[in-house]
Amino acid sequence: MYWNEASECCGRRDLEELQLERLKALVERVYRQVPFYRNRLEEAGIRPESIRSLDDLQKIPFTTKADLRDNYPFGLFAVPMDEIIRIHASTGTTGKPTVVGYTRKDIETWAEVMARTLMSAGAHQGDIIQVAYGYGLFTGGLGAHYGAEKIGAAVVPVSTGNTKRQITLLEDFGTTVLCSTPSYALYLAEAAEERGISTRDLALRVGVFGAEPWTDNLRKEIEKKLHVSAIDIYGLSEIIGPGVASECEAKDGLHIMEDHFLPEIIDPATGEPRGDGTAGELVITTLTKEGIPLLRYRVRDITRLTRDACSCGRTTARMERVTGRSDDMLIIRGVNVFPSQIESVLLEIPEAAPHYLIYVDREKSLDTIEVHVEVSEEMFSDEVREMAKVEKRIRAEVESILGIGVRIKLVEPRSITRSEGKAVRVIDRRKK
Ligand code: DLL
């Protein structure tokens, strides 16, 4: 089922025409209204009239997170402050948060793209949608909330945390759709089990999960434990929040809301464009945003695009599930390591629980990696010899995927801290 069939299933020619028209208007708007962009475009010798085709996009310089930081808090806003009706922010690992502002139209666009997201996940009017993403400066809670209201579902705005209450609501309200991070969904499943509640008896049907990288193996695990169809949704505060792209029931890539967000893939090192099917860094231009429109924003997430037809009938470009950010990538003794590679190995090993923490250290100028892996309850009560065998097996598997030596430490069930929002998977103790 589509929320907006005309936009989601639009022919490519018509879509590109619309994108070009919107791109021209956008460049004109930021040139006139944002001094930062006027300078950037002038330095690159671009005037609004220079944009005549979608290919001309390549001439426009990139915008980065550093540009947002340098113009903190409102310097990149393209409308007077009295047209801004909402402010969100995301806290990065360094310094000041990244701040974004929404006009009334932006909030409507956001509800529209989130309505599409929820419908493509399989939600509809009549559903009871429990929003366990954080409400607040984080965009997850309110983004899902507005989309759920738009499709006419009943929203339960519980926000994150208070796991006991979450489970009570799942049971008593007969929640049919859960929106949360995948790591929290897994935690909820475990916590329900501990309380002797059979997740099979819940009315839950669909999980709308995102905000952090997760693997297909974790999807299978959550689907098994929570008895839902788990859908991956993607977005980031700078672009709009959740609602940039989402899977459909075919679960074969995330459909990008291309009439609002124009995607490109580039080589992260050189900035050169990469064609469909080749992995690289995602770059997005916000075609319709008013509050803080961004030209060629370097998202830092690694993915690849396809424009092949999808069995669901949507015609928009799809992005492959994001397995990590280019800045999450660990370089261990010269080898690139993504936490998701480790996750996919661990989830193939029955004795390992899907909870892990990666410690990175530097010992005598050599980088080392130690993965703490929780073992399942049954396994833990077994003999030491058995544990040593499992540890060895995990090490061999992880090493064969990464191509470098690692240490594995099996830890007690439930000893790794569970997260209610985005999971912390890596603790890097190297002095930078
Ligand atoms: O996480 C928005 C969001 C909320 C998306 C709820 C989906 C669901 P930020 O806090 O700005 O916004 O973080 C954005 O999170 O650049 C990715 O690195 C990561 N991310 C978001 N969704 C996914 C996903 C929200 N499905 C950053 N898979 C992004 C992998 C994701 N990474």
Side-chain angles (χ1 to χ4, degrees):
M1 255 196 306
Y2 312 113
W3 171 253
N4 180 340
E5 188 170 348
S7 300
E8 294 173 75
C9 305
C10 176
R12 184 123 305 262
R13 273 250 303 277
D14 290 345
L15 177 65
E16 289 184 354
E17 223 168 82
L18 177 73
Q19 288 176 322
L20 179 58
E21 186 191 304
R22 290 181 167 175
L23 179 66
K24 285 178 176 168
L26 167 72
V27 175
E28 172 80 41
R29 199 148 35 89
V30 296
Y31 186 84
R32 263 190 294 113
Q33 279 152 225
V34 188
F36 164 85
Y37 274 123
R38 176 189 287 264
N39 292 339
R40 268 287 163 88
L41 292 168
E42 273 176 355
E43 273 165 30
I46 299 165
R47 296 189 51 82
E49 328 57 278
S50 323
I51 306 298
R52 285 188 216 92
S53 72
L54 283 178
D55 288 339
D56 290 333
L57 182 65
Q58 310 287 334
K59 301 181 190 157
I60 299 175
F62 296 114
T63 308
T64 64
K65 204 173 186 104
D67 296 324
L68 285 164
R69 243 194 332 260
D70 294 346
N71 291 282
Y72 174 85
F74 307 144
L76 292 189
F77 286 13
V79 296
M81 270 319 272
D82 62 1
E83 287 182 33
I84 296 288
I85 64 161
R86 177 89 63 76
I87 295 172
H88 280 280
S90 66
T91 27
T93 40
T94 48
K96 296 270 205 284
T98 306
V99 182
V100 287
Y102 299 70
T103 63
R104 189 170 302 281
K105 184 165 158 257
D106 291 335
I107 294 288
E108 278 161 19
T109 305
W110 196 13
E112 160 74 24
V113 289
M114 278 309 290
R116 293 186 200 171
T117 295
L118 290 167
M119 289 275 263
S120 73
H124 46 69
Q125 180 167 19
D127 268 317
I128 298 181
I129 304 190
Q130 186 161 330
V131 180
Y133 286 119
Y135 281 64
L137 287 178
F138 176 58
T139 51
L142 284 162
H145 185 105
Y146 277 59
E149 280 189 353
K150 194 161 181 103
I151 65 169
V155 194
V156 183
V158 56
S159 193
T160 49
N162 204 335
T163 303
K164 193 165 148 231
R165 186 173 57 188
Q166 300 271 2
I167 294 167
T168 305
L169 300 183
L170 286 176
E171 270 197 299
D172 296 354
F173 289 7
T175 301
T176 49
V177 178
L178 173 69
C179 300
S180 74
T181 57
S183 53
Y184 192 55
L186 189 63
Y187 180 35
L188 276 178
E190 277 178 358
E193 199 177 298
E194 271 166 33
R195 285 173 174 74
I197 294 160
S198 154
T199 50
R200 198 183 292 280
D201 298 336
L202 297 174
L204 263 188
R205 200 182 73 244
V206 178
V208 182
F209 303 135
E212 64 185 9
W214 54 312
T215 55
D216 227 27
N217 282 340
L218 187 58
R219 183 209 313 263
K220 285 186 208 127
E221 189 77 22
I222 296 174
E223 292 193 326
K224 196 171 76 199
K225 290 206 155 129
L226 214 48
H227 302 283
V228 290
S229 165
I231 296 286
D232 189 11
I233 71 163
Y234 171 84
L236 61 158
S237 342
E238 296 94 305
I239 300 302
I240 199 150
V244 174
S246 72
E247 278 183 338
C248 59
E249 288 166 277
K251 299 181 190 169
D252 188 17
L254 291 82
H255 291 274
I256 301 178
M257 315 293 166
E258 264 193 290
D259 48 337
H260 296 285
F261 312 115
L262 185 61
E264 298 170 77
I265 296 290
I266 60 162
D267 176 333
T270 63
E272 285 304 309
R274 282 187 172 165
D276 285 2
T278 310
E281 180 182 330
L282 181 63
V283 171
I284 298 179
T285 298
T286 63
L287 293 173
T288 52
K289 271 270 281 296
E290 293 182 338
I292 176 166
L294 296 175
L295 292 180
R296 302 192 85 198
Y297 184 67
R298 289 189 64 161
V299 167
R300 299 283 167 198
D301 293 318
I302 303 293
T303 183
R304 72 182 93 218
L305 297 181
T306 172
R307 287 176 172 82
D308 293 349
C310 179
S311 59
C312 74
R314 289 179 184 80
T315 49
T316 42
R318 278 169 294 151
M319 58 186 261
E320 187 181 56
R321 142 196 305 288
V322 169
T323 44
R325 295 173 58 76
S326 58
D327 40 14
D328 272 357
M329 187 179 78
L330 298 162
I331 303 181
I332 310 290
R333 305 196 286 278
V335 176
N336 300 347
V337 172
F338 282 101
S340 59
Q341 292 175 293
I342 298 176
E343 176 175 305
S344 62
V345 173
L346 296 181
L347 286 165
E348 297 280 353
I349 297 177
E351 294 89 342
H355 300 287
Y356 62 97
L357 200 50
I358 302 165
Y359 288 92
V360 186
D361 284 289
R362 181 162 295 155
E363 291 164 15
K364 298 197 187 104
S365 75
L366 200 67
D367 292 339
T368 62
I369 188 165
E370 178 168 300
V371 189
H372 290 197
V373 184
E374 270 185 26
V375 285
S376 56
E377 202 78 61
E378 310 83 70
M379 177 65 219
F380 201 73
S381 47
D382 259 330
E383 320 165 31
V384 176
R385 258 221 337 261
E386 277 304 305
M387 294 269 280
K389 252 175 39 201
V390 174
E391 205 172 278
K392 206 168 142 196
R393 209 170 82 231
I394 296 179
R395 196 178 70 227
E397 303 243 348
V398 173
E399 288 183 345
S400 84
I401 294 285
L402 302 185
I404 53 167
V406 295
R407 282 199 293 259
I408 302 290
K409 185 171 170 196
L410 299 185
V411 297
E412 277 185 49
R414 278 180 296 284
S415 61
I416 291 176
T417 313
R418 304 293 189 257
S419 79
E420 292 167 351
K422 295 180 194 257
V424 176
R425 305 286 196 199
V426 179
I427 297 186
D428 194 340
R429 297 186 286 206
R430 291 176 292 188
K431 286 193 194 68
K432 294 267 155 91

